[in-house]
């Protein structure tokens, strides 16, 4: 028979657990506190509901609104993201009135979905940590406080609703179901819970393809606990069935809307490998600048200190626990230290290999950090370690409050992107097309015009059309845009073939007139009656 998953608890643990079993009021207070924490995370978004969308948010919303059988991966546009992300943005579009203003595209529904994801993540953090460290309420309190602080921090990209944030509830739900499936005695419902874990794992990856956190966590957990779990193979099979069911459903739904499985594979797997090579060989200086800002945000937010201290506390326990294990058995919370360590390692790897180093990458660290803090708070050696860990989490909360207050009260200014959108809305006809060279899908979305060029983001141009052949064909074809928005005085930029970019620039100068400039943006209008 497999060994039980728990060992003989210490007297303090037994008494604490017994008090919890006998004290429904205590459980009610814990539930109420968790609800308050989740509502606090949601409330942190309220001042930002009418803030203009970022470029990515605008682009994803644009793709979601026009997704239909068309000429590209998602309707008439292409992006290297899985389909569930666009479905979530489609949901957001139905929750609030989207409008173009002088400050950019505003969609309260997008922010509401982001707020809901933050609140759900905080609530699931409480559930997860109560399962990982069931005898230590301080573990749950610290982890939940950390989740609220990090998810409310503009240093981690808030209030931007992006893939990392929208995948977060699925990751935490998958971890909750994985722990339940491993801790429950084997029976039919256990396989169902394992299937739910697999479904959540796949859903997270279908929001952002590198968010395979649950696969990593569950895989290492099965290996570590295999001798303590009855019939682990059945649980793994249930997990696989749940994951495949969600994958099949998503592929079928995407196919109905004109998106093929082979096209998705090319976009979310093949392209990412090619993009990493392109960034590594010809990235602009802006990439290094963003990396510097990312590291600064990681440190200033307190997340770096939390990671170092929590990991150190867990490591100290594991290194000093061998003698104790022979006498008493392995600490039940420590059993999850290894899958959580693997999870943290994967999340750090994901942040670094993303290549572009945007602030919202740091949101992907939240599941690993909250689980690590829960374990550290329960098994930390000595009161000093626990006190220091609490102080660091308190600093994280204080840093969030300070930065959040600054961003919440800051005046929103008109950017060059906004000025270009306004100019196009004022001077363009509804049937006109516009191409932005390159990136900034917010300009296309805010102008109210369509783009005959399928690439709305800059990195896909550098990977899929580096010689700008497709762009040249669009500009000279029957659906040539009336407007072209270009950064600077030339289409030539990093990652593009110089000869191809020069040829496209010559065509632009011959057939278009430079009408106005805002910052680095030049707005070109096609010459009336010009040849193609």
């Amino acid at each position: 028979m497999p060994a039980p998953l728990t060992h003989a608890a210490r007297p303090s643990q037994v008494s604490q657990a017994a008090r919890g079993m006998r004290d429904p009021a205590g459980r009610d207070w814990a539930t109420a506190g968790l609800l308050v924490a989740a509502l606090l995370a949601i409330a942190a978004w309220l001042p930002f509901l009418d803030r203009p969308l970022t470029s990515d948010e605008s682009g994803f919303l644009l793709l979601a609104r026009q997704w239909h059988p068309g000429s590209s991966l998602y309707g008439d546009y292409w992006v290297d993201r899985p389909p569930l992300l666009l479905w979530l943005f489609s949901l957001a579009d139905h929750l609030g009135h989207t409008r173009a203003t002088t400050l950019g595209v505003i969609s309260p529904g997008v922010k509401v979905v982001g707020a809901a994801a933050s609140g759900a993540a905080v609530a699931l953090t409480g559930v997860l940590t109560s399962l990982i460290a069931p005898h230590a309420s301080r573990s749950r309190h610290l982890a939940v406080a950390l989740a609220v602080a990090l998810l409310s921090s503009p240093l981690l990209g808030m209030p931007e609703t992006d893939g990392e944030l929208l995948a977060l509830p699925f990751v935490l739900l998958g971890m909750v179901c994985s722990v339940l499936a491993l801790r429950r005695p084997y029976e039919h419902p256990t396989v169902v819970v394992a299937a739910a874990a697999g479904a959540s794992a796949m859903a997270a990856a279908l929001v952002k393809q590198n968010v395979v956190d649950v696969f990593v966590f569950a895989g290492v957990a099965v290996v570590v606990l295999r001798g303590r779990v009855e019939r682990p193979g059945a649980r793994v099979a249930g997990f696989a069935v749940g994951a495949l069911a969600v994958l099949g459903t998503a592929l079928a739904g995407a196919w109905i809307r004109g998106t093929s499985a082979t096209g998705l594979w090319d976009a979310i797997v093949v392209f990412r490998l090619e993009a990493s090579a392109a960034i590594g060989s010809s990235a602009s200086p802006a990439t290094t600048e963003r990396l510097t800002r990312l590291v600064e945000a990681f440190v200033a937010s307190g997340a770096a200190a939390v990671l170092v201290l929590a990991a150190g506390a867990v490591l100290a326990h594991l290194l000093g626990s061998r003698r104790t294990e022979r006498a008493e058995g392995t600490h039940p919370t420590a059993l999850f230290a290894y899958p959580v360590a693997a999870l943290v390692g994967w999340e750090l790897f994901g942040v670094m290999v993303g290549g572009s180093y945007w602030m919202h990458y740091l949101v992907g660290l939240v599941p690993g950090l909250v689980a690590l803090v829960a374990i550290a708070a329960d098994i930390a050696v000595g009161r000093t370690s626990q006190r220091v860990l609490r102080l660091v989490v308190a600093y994280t909360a204080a840093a969030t409050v300070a930065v959040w207050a600054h961003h919440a009260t800051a005046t929103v200014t008109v950017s060059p992107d906004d000025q270009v959108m306004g100019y196009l809305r004022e001077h363009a006809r509804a049937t006109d097309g516009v191409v932005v060279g390159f990136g900034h899908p917010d300009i296309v979305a805010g102008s109210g015009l369509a783009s005959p060029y399928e690439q709305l983001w800059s990195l896909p141009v550098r990977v899929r059309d580096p010689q700008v052949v497709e762009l040249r064909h669009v500009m000279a074809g029957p659906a040539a845009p009336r407007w072209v928005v270009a950064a600077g005085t030339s289409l030539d930029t990093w990652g593009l073939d110089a000869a191809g970019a020069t040829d496209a620039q010559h065509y632009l100068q011959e057939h278009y007139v430079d009408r106005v400039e805002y910052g680095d943006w030049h707005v070109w209008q096609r010459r009336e009656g010009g040849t193609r």
Side-chain angles (χ1 to χ4, degrees):
M1 292 294 292
L5 192 55
T6 60
H7 75 315
R10 296 188 295 270
S12 61
Q13 293 176 330
V14 173
S15 61
Q16 187 177 15
R19 284 196 302 272
M21 293 293 293
R22 294 193 303 266
D23 186 11
R27 293 199 301 273
D28 290 343
W29 276 110
T31 302
L34 186 58
L35 177 61
V36 169
L39 291 176
L40 183 62
I42 293 173
W45 286 69
L46 296 181
F48 304 99
L49 293 184
D50 283 330
R51 291 293 176 94
L53 301 184
T54 65
S55 184
D56 276 355
E57 289 174 317
S58 297
F60 295 146
L61 187 61
L62 173 62
L63 265 66
R65 300 182 85 180
Q66 62 80 59
W67 186 10
H68 62 277
S71 58
S72 191
L73 182 66
Y74 293 113
D76 295 325
Y77 302 120
W78 193 96
V79 70
D80 58 315
R81 291 293 185 271
L84 184 51
L85 176 67
L86 297 190
W87 277 315
L88 291 173
F89 268 86
S90 180
L91 170 64
D93 188 35
H94 287 85
L95 293 179
H97 175 60
T98 301
R99 60 194 187 277
T101 71
T102 56
L103 296 175
V105 178
I106 293 178
S107 177
V110 171
K111 302 302 183 183
V112 167
V113 169
S118 292
V122 169
L124 288 167
T125 294
V127 177
L128 175 64
T129 53
S130 68
L131 293 173
I132 291 179
H135 303 302
S137 60
R138 64 178 178 271
S139 302
R140 182 171 62 254
H141 297 159
L142 269 184
V144 168
L146 179 65
V148 173
L150 294 179
L151 293 176
S152 303
S153 176
L155 291 174
L156 274 71
M158 183 269 184
E160 181 173 356
T161 302
D162 220 309
E164 289 82 3
L165 176 63
L166 296 179
L168 198 55
F170 296 112
V171 171
L172 291 164
L173 178 59
M175 293 173 68
V176 166
C177 292
S178 297
V179 175
L180 283 173
L182 290 170
R183 279 198 155 164
R184 294 169 61 99
Y186 178 76
E187 53 190 355
H188 177 70
T190 303
V191 179
V192 175
V193 174
S200 300
M202 184 58 69
L206 287 170
V207 175
K208 184 76 184 294
Q209 62 265 46
N210 68 306
V211 185
V212 295
D213 301 37
V214 183
F215 291 100
V216 173
F217 175 81
V220 177
V222 167
V223 173
V224 172
L225 303 175
R226 64 186 183 280
R228 299 169 175 268
V229 175
E230 182 184 5
R231 299 186 64 180
R235 303 169 201 246
V236 172
F239 185 99
V241 168
L244 291 174
V246 169
L247 177 61
T249 302
L251 292 178
W255 178 77
I256 291 173
R257 304 187 76 166
T259 300
S260 68
T262 54
L264 287 173
W265 174 263
D266 177 67
I268 66 180
V269 179
V270 176
F271 171 82
R272 292 313 309 176
L273 299 175
E274 296 172 340
S276 296
I279 293 173
S281 62
S282 58
S284 71
T287 303
T288 303
E289 294 173 4
R290 287 197 301 269
L291 174 59
T292 301
R293 289 197 297 269
L294 184 76
V295 173
E296 291 173 347
F298 185 45
V299 173
S301 67
V306 168
L307 173 61
V308 172
L309 289 173
V314 173
L315 182 61
H317 173 85
L318 294 178
L319 293 177
S321 63
R322 295 180 180 178
R323 186 176 303 173
T324 303
E325 288 177 14
R326 287 194 292 268
E328 299 180 3
T330 304
H331 192 296
T333 302
L335 290 171
F336 288 97
Y338 298 102
V340 168
L343 174 63
V344 172
W346 169 256
E347 290 171 349
L348 289 170
F349 177 76
V351 170
M352 295 310 299
V353 301
S356 296
Y357 308 119
W358 302 109
M359 291 291 194
H360 56 78
Y361 285 8
L362 295 176
V363 175
L365 301 175
V366 170
L369 286 179
V370 297
L372 190 63
V373 163
I375 294 174
D378 192 20
I379 66 178
V381 179
R383 294 183 178 179
T384 301
S385 296
Q386 295 178 3
R387 186 179 299 112
V388 171
L389 189 58
R390 288 195 295 270
L391 288 174
V392 171
V393 173
Y395 164 80
T396 301
T400 292
V401 171
V403 179
W404 178 90
H406 172 74
H407 281 254
T409 57
T411 301
V412 180
T413 59
V414 178
S415 69
D417 283 26
D418 302 330
Q419 293 174 304
V420 172
M421 296 178 212
Y423 181 88
L424 292 174
R425 288 197 302 269
E426 182 179 351
H427 294 86
R429 301 185 294 253
T431 56
D432 288 350
V434 61
V435 167
V436 179
F438 297 98
H440 294 256
D442 57 315
I443 293 178
V444 178
S447 69
L449 307 178
S451 172
Y453 189 45
E454 65 174 345
Q455 309 299 349
L456 299 183
W457 278 264
S458 62
L459 187 56
V461 175
R462 293 170 170 90
V463 175
R464 293 170 51 84
D465 191 25
Q467 296 178 326
V468 291
V469 172
E470 182 184 347
L471 175 62
R472 177 68 171 77
H473 288 168
V474 166
M475 293 170 62
R482 187 175 180 223
W483 305 92
V484 174
V485 181
T489 57
S490 173
L491 291 174
D492 190 14
T493 182
W494 72 271
L496 296 184
D497 176 75
T502 299
D503 183 52
Q505 179 67 29
H506 287 162
Y507 185 91
L508 180 67
Q509 293 172 341
E510 182 179 354
H511 295 277
Y512 287 78
V513 178
D514 190 351
R515 291 297 188 193
V516 67
E517 59 183 270
Y518 299 104
D520 288 337
W521 290 120
H522 289 246
V523 181
W524 297 73
Q525 181 181 6
R526 192 169 187 89
R527 300 178 190 274
E528 297 297 333
T531 59
R532 294 178 179 171

